[in-house]
Amino acid sequence: MCSVSAVAELLTVEEALRTVLERVRPLDAEAVPIDDAAGRVLAEDAAAVVDLPRFPSSAMDGFALRAADTPGTLPVVARVAAGRPAARALDAGEAMGIATGGVVPDGADAVVPIELVTDAGETVVVPNAVSGGDNIRPRGGDVRAGEPVLTAGTVVSPSRLAALAAAGVATPRCARRPRVAIVTTGTELRRPGEPLADGEIYESNGLMLAALLREAGAEVEVSAGVADDEAAHEAALGRGLEADVLVTSGGVSVGPHDLVRGTLSRLGAEEIFWGVAMRPGKPFSFAVRDETLAFGLPGNPVSSLVGTLLLVQPAIRALQGVRDPAPRFALGVLGAPARRGPRRDDYQRARLELTDGAAVLHPVRGQESHMIVRAAGADALVHIPRGDGELEAGATVRYLPLTGA
Ligand code: AMP
Ligand code: MG
């Protein structure tokens, strides 16, 4: 059923990530209206439709004129507003009032700010000499028409959305969003708000995983609380395998009620690996059926969280062609010693404090994999590499911010 037995050497997190990413086939591109493009990933370079600025544009509220005519008192022959260019060019010895963003008239080579002149209505008094080019934003100074605004593989962040819009890109071509089916398994699971019978608990992973994967760009459907019996598993996982990605929670360990791996195998999915040398989250399975990727996360909520951040979110990003889909670790220092695991990398939940500009990470109390409330009090996931002894306070460590998690 599986290619890696329970006793075999576990894959490292890096090996697991590499293995997952090798299986990713980027999804097709589609034209996306700019109004819906936030958070999407560009499938192609997006070229500017217009020069930006589109015309020589005033950087200030002031007066357009010729630098050679300053200092001096000049007649004001027009008033230019944004979107309302002058009807004619500016002649030598003239000035035109101009607003920020107004088209600098032909014939003018500088704008003098309103604060530096006396506006007498019919005339303007310019007391000091002005240099040519002052306060004029040249045409194409930001980007020229035809040049790339953003390249393929870029995530459209708010500032990038603005850049596309400003450059006239109305329908950028983006990767299709991955369709993700989330199935949480466990006979004991009930929706928050429902009455709980003996032994039952509230289902939480489905909500968390949906939020995490939507954040990575997925379109998500959740089937929560699938009973631990084969028929229920077969129905839910069978449906889930129709998606681009199936993510299950629970039932992926070695107990008699852990049915996910066996069911996936019966449904024709090939298990690529099971078990990753990380804590929490070791019983993690990865299988494929045709183009569908199937991730089996353990049910303990913090294990599910860590596995998703390290291995599932990257796959969702890679499906959309994100250039660097791996988790983006930052560097910080440990605020307290941390014991290392001999065989597994540890990902500890920590509070992040900025001390003299340095990120200092204080692991929270309660590092067990069921303690989602303790994890929720953390701002960072700190990587404690496997090894002997402990990392001292002050040691440099990598961490993943948990603000979006
Ligand atoms: P499992 O991986 O199925 O053995 O589950 C491990 C632990 O996580 C058990 O205590 C489960 O009750 C709990 N658990 C499993 N799935 C969920 C879930 N979706 N939400 C909250 N807790 C869960
Ligand atoms: Mg279970």
Side-chain angles (χ1 to χ4, degrees):
M1 176 181 84
C2 59
S3 55
V4 180
S5 81
V7 291
E9 189 83 351
L10 295 173
L11 286 187
T12 66
V13 173
E14 291 74 19
E15 287 165 342
L17 180 59
R18 208 176 319 119
T19 306
V20 166
L21 293 179
E22 273 167 14
R23 295 286 174 157
V24 170
R25 298 284 164 271
L27 299 172
D28 295 338
E30 61 189 12
V32 176
I34 188 77
D35 297 75
D36 303 326
R40 300 292 294 264
V41 182
L42 292 177
E44 297 168 7
D45 294 359
V49 176
V50 294
D51 290 335
L52 212 60
R54 205 167 81 75
F55 43 80
S57 155
S58 178
M60 303 292 262
D61 290 315
F63 289 84
L65 39 67
R66 297 188 187 188
D69 293 336
T70 62
T73 298
L74 308 175
V76 178
V77 299
R79 300 266 170 178
V80 174
R84 296 258 177 277
R88 66 165 177 85
L90 180 130
D91 285 334
E94 292 179 338
M96 289 186 186
I98 192 163
T100 305
V103 180
V104 176
D106 285 345
D109 65 3
V111 169
V112 56
I114 210 162
E115 295 85 350
L116 300 185
V117 301
T118 306
D119 184 353
E122 301 280 287
T123 60
V124 60
V125 182
V126 184
N128 297 311
V130 171
S131 307
D134 271 9
N135 300 307
I136 296 179
R137 297 166 171 168
R139 175 174 183 164
D142 196 5
V143 72
R144 293 205 167 275
E147 284 178 355
V149 178
L150 297 168
T151 54
T154 305
V155 180
V156 181
S157 64
S159 60
R160 293 169 183 158
L161 184 66
L164 292 171
V169 182
T171 48
R173 288 191 66 76
C174 300
R176 175 166 75 70
R177 283 184 185 281
R179 286 177 296 108
V180 177
I182 294 173
V183 176
T184 67
T185 71
T187 300
E188 73 278 25
L189 303 175
R190 290 290 166 269
R191 280 181 67 80
E194 285 181 1
L196 292 177
D198 231 11
E200 293 181 343
I201 63 168
Y202 292 123
E203 201 284 318
S204 58
N205 288 346
L207 295 162
M208 175 177 69
L209 297 174
L212 285 168
L213 299 180
R214 283 195 182 110
E215 187 193 82
E219 267 173 16
V220 172
E221 254 184 49
V222 183
S223 308
V226 170
D228 292 318
D229 70 64
E230 286 187 0
H233 269 53
E234 228 164 272
L237 301 193
R239 263 196 315 277
L241 282 169
E242 302 296 321
D244 298 310
V245 178
L246 166 63
V247 180
T248 61
S249 110
V252 76
S253 198
V254 291
H257 304 289
D258 292 333
L259 306 174
V260 167
R261 298 170 64 211
T263 307
L264 284 174
S265 165
R266 274 198 305 286
L267 290 167
E270 176 199 356
E271 188 163 88
I272 307 300
F273 65 78
W274 177 67
V276 179
M278 60 185 179
R279 192 178 68 176
K282 179 179 81 166
F284 179 109
S285 78
F286 176 58
V288 297
R289 192 182 76 176
D290 304 325
E291 298 279 282
T292 300
L293 311 176
F295 296 93
L297 296 160
N300 277 304
V302 184
S303 307
S304 249
L305 170 67
V306 171
T308 302
L309 292 172
L310 296 180
L311 297 169
V312 187
Q313 276 191 338
I316 300 298
R317 291 191 286 262
L319 280 165
Q320 297 166 89
V322 171
R323 218 174 297 126
D324 182 9
R328 289 183 166 261
F329 283 90
L331 290 181
V333 294
L334 268 181
R339 179 160 296 286
R340 306 173 74 171
R343 275 177 296 279
R344 286 192 278 158
D345 285 5
D346 204 347
Y347 290 88
Q348 295 198 4
R349 279 69 66 207
R351 275 184 311 101
L352 187 158
E353 261 175 24
L354 288 176
T355 308
D356 298 331
V360 183
L361 298 146
H362 303 275
V364 300
R365 280 177 186 277
Q367 291 286 334
E368 288 166 68
S369 62
H370 63 290
M371 293 185 161
I372 190 63
V373 173
R374 305 298 178 96
D379 334 274
L381 195 62
V382 180
H383 177 211
I384 310 292
R386 62 194 174 280
D388 298 327
E390 60 180 29
L391 287 187
E392 297 163 11
T396 299
V397 283
R398 302 189 317 148
Y399 72 92
L400 266 187
L402 285 178
T403 40

